[in-house]
Amino acid sequence: MTTDPDLLLDARGVAKSFGAVRALTDAHLSVARGEVVALLGANGAGKSTFVKILTGALKPDAGHVRIRGAEARVGSPAAARRSGLVPVYQEPSLIPDLDIGDNLRLGGTDRGDFRHWMEALSLPDLRMDALVRDLPLATLRIVDLARALAAQPDVLLLDELTAALPTDLVERVLEVARAQAEDGRGVIYISHRFAEIAALCDRATVLRDGRTVGEARIEPGVEERVVEMMLGAKIDLEKRAAEVARPKPAGQPRLSVQGLAVAPKLTDASFTLHPGEVLGVVALEGQGQDELFEALAGFRQPAAGSIEVDGAPARFGHPADAIAAGLSFVPGDRAEALFRERSVRENIAMPFSARMRRWGPLRLRHEKARVAEAIGRLQIDTRAQGEVQRLSGGNQQKVTIGRWLAHGVRTLLLFDPTRGIDVRTKRQIYPLVRDLAEQGAAILYYTSELEEVPLACDRAIVIFNGRVVDIVEATEADEARLMRAAYGLTGTEGAA
Amino acid sequence: MSNTHPQTEEHVPPLLRVGRFLKDNPVIPLIGFLILLIGILEAMRPGILSPYWAGNLIKFAIPLAMLAAAQVLTMLTGGIDLSVGIVATAAAFVTATLTPLIGPAPAMAVAMAVGALVGLVNGFGAGIARVHPLIMTLGTGLIATGCLQVYQRFVIATGSDIPDILEWLGTGRTAGLPNGIFLFLPFAAFILWLMRLSGFGRLLFGLGSNETAAKLSGVRSWQVLIALYVLSGMIAALTGLLYLGMIRTPSLSLAVPLMLPSVAAAVIGGTSIFGGRGSFAGAIVGALILRVIETMLTLARMPEGARIALFGLIILLVTALYVRFTETR
């Protein structure tokens, strides 16, 4: 085989199986000097496995990975780093109990180089003695990136780095990645956001069902083609929820929140949620939405304000109290909600056994029927029988929702349910949310992706700086309006 | 995927495949290992295998397997119960000393209550005060040891007696099998039912797998942990009663040497000390394996000290090998 001297990374015919599940059958990817390549694929396409093989965390069953023309006998992440491929993941790889300086020392990162990149990423003021666990997630992602850049990688791999990152930081990340390519280095960019891919990438490689199914130059109008490749079929544009006429909610609200304050970030939230309604929550990272959801789910105690369920005041000392009041919480982080080494069935059925009077014999027939119904309704792909950790990310997310479908949904608190999952699963989640509402459920829906609001919600509240600053009807909820509100540029807060 | 080529399976290295098989069916290879050990024993001392010997093996494996049940259940939640040795000892001692005073049935009831009490304290510590179970149960074990010594001074003059039922269970045989199985079979059936077919068992697996997810599902973990450690303490006390019938000499360290082997039997049997994974059937085979190894060491005519040291070493080796083998992905 001839080796192109401009080819920084060349992976061919990569295959990997886990037991009977064939995660990858024939994956290809190449990155040339000066190129930014998007790696795309629906969840379950084998993207995570491919990344793990490229970075040396997994060994392929077949195929090879060449870095700078030399066969990379990638044995470990450290070996991949040495050979010039440095990854940055959605989850920061810093040790929480050490400060930034110590984390840098552990990785052998030069402080001067690190500072230089932090300035380029517009976060120059970070203190070296700040404890990692005290820093916001967005900052940690930038720290991780700066650390990777300081290692002067030939190929930089960014895996969903910008998910839930504030817009200004996203722009910095894109600029820096572009500059890497202009310096003659290579970048592999993984994201579900087409806008970023269009702005940054030269080329896209698309995975489906474990194989590379196509490549595309990034040019105007490429999105539809890429989506077609990812889905394997032409897709129809879905009906915007806002275009479907629905009566205004009336009568007794399911959930009524007045002046709610929850330490540390939520200071004043008031809204009502009616049966049959999907209420969106829009906020930039860290505006108090986490506190709002955790208080409604019984994970935190409010400092002030009131929560009423069906007109009666409610206090939740434990998530069990919230569940008893009919509030079901699906957290943003799947890892928090899943029993990784247990089966899909046990994951979904766990709430059945929670109460002490259900500690006795399992009601197997009842359980089996309810679980099968939830699996069918969510179209969970259970080919990978057994442990839930063997499912793809999208299917794992469906399991966290399926748990409450099986249990019976009255009020569903969905925290960014589509974060980091593929287009196909997203397109299953919106109609499901609508269906549940039509059957009388009340749904609070936080999303970090503004374009979802008109697709799934009836109205949306906007939280800025700990307060609900705006309520927007879905018909008016275009991205520009929501974005302005999320930055605190409308209503009474505008002057502040 | 429909186009599965059979040859892709060959890419899995054989050692890894063996490891996966062990992980998915821990009991089958364990039984193979047990048979291998028994074969070696027969080679060491031809003619040793007999129905009587088998009955003896089972007899002495029963208390070990019962204590291992306490370890399996607590380990499922990511915990451990290191007080079982002293609790079993205390239950035996209390029964033997109280029987002449208040009769056998009340004495045994008090012994079980002692186990439940220690378990309650463990459960309070682990579930509400959130002390790590390792520290908590070591602490209560030490406290129980001290209390037992104080108690001994008060009852030293009363003498001791062993209830007939315990002697029958501990030393009698029916059709060649030790009578202990009349206690053990229902016990094992209960534990297996609890782990596989009860809501409580499901919660144990859930808590060990991901406590946040359990909380999210509405599980109040303190309730589960208190019930779990009370159960564990009562299992230990019950084991102490049986062991008293077997040994027939109450002492202040009667069942203490069973402690480490009970943990080892659980781990060899495929229970993860990190929680979320475990099998009582495996622990039973693990207990049998340890007893066979012990017999081998006895046959090798080693001095007592060397024998104990070697037994400890072998437990560590077998456990380390087993974990190494099965945790490979």
Side-chain angles (χ1 to χ4, degrees):
Chain A
M1 188 179 288
T2 55
T3 46
D4 184 342
D6 277 345
L7 224 46
L8 288 173
L9 177 134
D10 187 25
R12 285 184 183 278
V14 175
K16 178 81 188 173
S17 300
F18 300 98
V21 179
R22 295 167 24 103
L24 282 182
T25 50
D26 183 17
H28 302 254
L29 178 70
S30 64
V31 182
R33 284 188 190 284
E35 219 182 7
V36 183
V37 181
L39 178 61
L40 298 169
N43 278 26
K47 217 169 40 190
S48 318
T49 308
F50 197 26
V51 167
K52 281 183 190 157
I53 287 171
L54 291 176
T55 57
L58 276 179
K59 280 192 184 131
D61 296 338
H64 64 79
V65 178
R66 288 203 169 96
I67 295 179
R68 284 176 301 190
E71 182 80 20
R73 275 266 146 245
V74 175
S76 67
R81 251 169 215 278
R82 276 197 299 278
S83 69
L85 178 94
V86 178
V88 186
Y89 298 109
Q90 187 178 351
E91 297 306 322
S93 55
L94 298 161
I95 298 173
D97 288 317
L98 294 182
D99 64 26
I100 296 290
D102 288 340
N103 266 289
L104 294 180
R105 213 167 293 130
L106 271 182
T109 304
D110 182 88
R111 280 196 187 205
D113 290 347
F114 176 76
R115 279 249 174 260
H116 163 77
W117 287 111
M118 286 305 279
E119 271 161 38
L121 289 161
S122 74
L123 278 179
D125 305 325
L126 183 74
R127 292 168 56 100
M128 282 293 155
D129 59 357
L131 211 57
V132 165
R133 68 160 66 256
D134 298 335
L135 292 171
L137 191 59
T139 306
L140 295 181
R141 285 184 185 148
I142 296 301
V143 168
D144 242 5
L145 175 59
R147 195 167 64 147
L149 288 163
Q152 304 187 327
D154 287 326
V155 180
L156 182 68
L157 189 153
L158 304 180
D159 186 356
E160 287 288 348
L161 180 70
T162 53
L165 215 57
T167 315
D168 54 332
L169 283 179
V170 171
E171 274 166 26
R172 287 290 97 69
V173 170
L174 297 185
E175 278 168 23
V176 165
R178 193 68 250 167
Q180 284 282 302
E182 275 156 18
D183 283 355
R185 301 170 189 274
V187 179
I188 302 170
Y189 193 77
I190 300 174
S191 172
H192 289 301
R193 298 178 175 178
F194 281 115
E196 291 171 13
I197 289 165
L200 175 66
C201 301
D202 303 302
R203 198 155 56 83
T205 294
V206 182
L207 279 181
R208 187 178 77 234
D209 292 340
R211 63 180 72 232
T212 298
V213 291
E215 304 228 329
R217 291 247 136 243
I218 301 294
E219 55 207 5
V222 75
E223 285 94 337
E224 273 309 303
R225 246 187 80 210
V226 167
V227 169
E228 267 170 47
M229 279 197 261
M230 280 164 63
L231 299 178
K234 220 173 167 66
I235 43 134
D236 297 319
L237 279 175
E238 63 239 273
K239 245 184 198 168
R240 286 165 62 107
E243 288 162 8
V244 184
R246 269 187 304 272
K248 285 250 173 200
Q252 173 86 283
R254 173 68 48 76
L255 184 64
S256 172
V257 172
Q258 283 303 320
L260 194 70
V262 186
K265 286 184 181 146
L266 192 72
T267 49
D268 181 14
S270 303
F271 61 89
T272 56
L273 174 62
H274 289 80
E277 185 186 31
V278 183
L279 180 63
V281 177
V282 171
L284 302 174
E285 180 97 338
Q287 301 299 314
Q289 66 270 40
D290 303 73
E291 286 81 0
L292 171 65
F293 274 74
E294 285 175 12
L296 291 175
F299 270 85
R300 285 174 194 253
Q301 302 305 309
S306 70
I307 301 171
E308 285 180 11
V309 178
D310 294 321
R315 275 189 55 82
F316 306 138
H318 186 276
D321 299 330
I323 292 167
L327 273 63
S328 319
F329 176 44
V330 177
D333 184 359
R334 290 189 289 275
E336 274 182 13
L338 291 173
F339 306 99
R340 292 169 50 81
E341 58 275 83
R342 308 309 302 172
S343 67
V344 170
R345 179 165 159 186
E346 273 181 61
N347 265 278
I348 292 179
M350 194 62 76
F352 294 157
S353 304
R355 280 200 252 171
M356 227 189 244
R357 61 188 169 84
R358 287 266 160 252
W359 284 6
L362 293 172
R363 295 177 300 170
L364 289 173
R365 213 175 291 161
H366 166 260
E367 172 183 310
K368 211 170 178 174
R370 300 287 283 274
V371 170
E373 195 194 326
I375 288 177
R377 189 152 178 203
L378 283 162
Q379 298 166 38
I380 298 174
D381 181 353
T382 52
R383 267 179 318 176
Q385 273 304 332
E387 303 179 356
V388 105
Q389 62 187 344
R390 296 182 189 164
L391 298 182
S392 69
N395 279 308
Q396 290 184 9
Q397 184 69 30
K398 289 180 185 175
V399 170
T400 65
I401 299 174
R403 177 180 293 159
W404 299 118
L405 291 194
H407 193 255
V409 169
R410 268 174 64 76
T411 310
L412 192 58
L413 311 169
L414 291 172
F415 194 92
D416 221 0
T418 57
R419 180 196 292 180
I421 66 173
D422 60 288
V423 182
R424 184 165 26 185
T425 309
K426 280 183 186 175
R427 279 165 200 251
Q428 291 169 337
I429 286 181
Y430 309 138
L432 175 80
V433 166
R434 299 291 347 158
D435 272 3
L436 289 172
E438 250 150 60
Q439 287 160 21
I443 297 170
L444 195 65
Y445 187 104
Y446 167 71
T447 174
S448 58
E449 293 181 35
L450 298 180
E451 67 266 26
E452 286 187 358
V453 171
L455 292 176
C457 306
D458 299 305
R459 292 183 296 154
I461 56 173
V462 180
I463 303 180
F464 177 71
N465 204 11
R467 299 163 169 273
V468 173
V469 293
D470 202 1
I471 297 181
V472 186
E473 291 294 322
T475 42
E476 304 156 12
D478 58 79
E479 284 181 50
R481 164 90 198 265
L482 292 173
M483 186 64 87
R484 282 174 59 78
Y487 275 98
L489 299 175
T490 51
T492 50
E493 296 295 304
Chain B
M1 262 157 264
S2 52
N3 55 342
T4 307
H5 307 297
Q7 65 264 29
T8 47
E9 276 298 299
E10 283 162 28
H11 291 301
V12 182
L15 205 66
L16 183 61
R17 251 195 288 169
V18 171
R20 272 190 196 158
F21 182 74
L22 285 179
K23 194 170 168 181
D24 291 345
N25 311 280
V27 179
I28 297 160
L30 274 175
I31 290 175
F33 185 53
L34 176 64
I35 291 170
L36 177 76
L37 283 178
I38 293 176
I40 295 171
L41 192 64
E42 174 70 14
M44 278 169 76
R45 177 73 62 91
I48 190 174
L49 292 194
S50 67
Y52 184 82
W53 179 83
N56 238 0
L57 174 71
I58 293 170
K59 175 177 155 184
F60 284 101
I62 284 175
L64 190 50
M66 288 174 69
L67 287 188
Q71 304 301 356
V72 170
L73 293 175
T74 48
M75 281 183 190
L76 283 183
T77 65
I80 194 165
D81 191 343
L82 297 182
S83 64
V84 291
I86 189 65
V87 168
T89 305
F93 195 81
V94 165
T95 304
T97 50
L98 285 187
T99 298
L101 297 175
I102 59 176
M108 287 191 279
V110 171
M112 292 302 288
V114 168
L117 179 70
V118 176
L120 189 67
V121 178
N122 284 335
F124 178 84
I128 293 173
R130 309 300 290 179
V131 180
H132 192 283
L134 186 89
I135 306 295
M136 193 63 214
T137 56
L138 263 182
T140 51
L142 205 58
I143 294 169
T145 308
C147 291
L148 194 58
Q149 285 181 11
V150 174
Y151 170 77
Q152 184 202 22
R153 290 175 174 245
F154 285 105
V155 295
I156 204 141
T158 62
S160 73
D161 195 7
I162 295 161
D164 294 340
I165 173 85
L166 295 185
E167 231 166 308
W168 180 81
L169 274 176
T171 55
R173 284 184 184 241
T174 305
L177 286 169
N179 285 340
I181 60 163
F182 293 115
L183 175 69
F184 184 71
L185 288 182
F187 171 83
F190 172 73
I191 299 294
L192 289 171
W193 172 84
L194 191 75
M195 285 175 65
R196 292 184 189 176
L197 294 171
S198 80
F200 184 71
R202 178 99 17 113
L203 298 186
L204 297 183
F205 282 101
L207 275 182
S209 172
N210 185 345
E211 192 167 349
T212 309
K215 191 174 178 188
L216 211 63
S217 301
V219 180
R220 297 181 200 266
S221 55
W222 62 269
Q223 293 175 340
V224 181
L225 290 175
I226 287 179
L228 168 65
Y229 282 93
V230 168
L231 176 66
S232 177
M234 290 178 72
I235 290 173
L238 187 65
T239 311
L241 296 186
L242 177 67
Y243 207 54
L244 175 68
M246 282 171 63
I247 307 295
R248 283 177 294 178
T249 339
S251 79
L252 291 184
S253 61
L254 182 75
V256 173
L258 292 178
M259 233 284 307
L260 174 65
S262 76
V263 176
V267 174
I268 292 171
T271 300
S272 162
I273 53 166
F274 302 112
R277 203 174 268 149
S279 146
F280 180 52
I284 295 173
V285 185
L288 286 166
I289 287 174
L290 288 177
R291 285 306 191 196
V292 172
I293 292 175
E294 220 177 5
T295 313
M296 287 173 155
L297 292 177
T298 315
L299 284 185
R301 289 175 194 282
M302 264 183 235
E304 173 79 4
R307 194 174 63 80
I308 293 173
L310 203 58
F311 188 52
L313 191 66
I314 288 176
I315 287 178
L316 290 180
L317 269 179
V318 170
T319 313
L321 269 179
Y322 189 78
V323 169
R324 176 110 200 175
F325 225 26
T326 50
E327 294 291 294
T328 333
R329 292 199 180 161

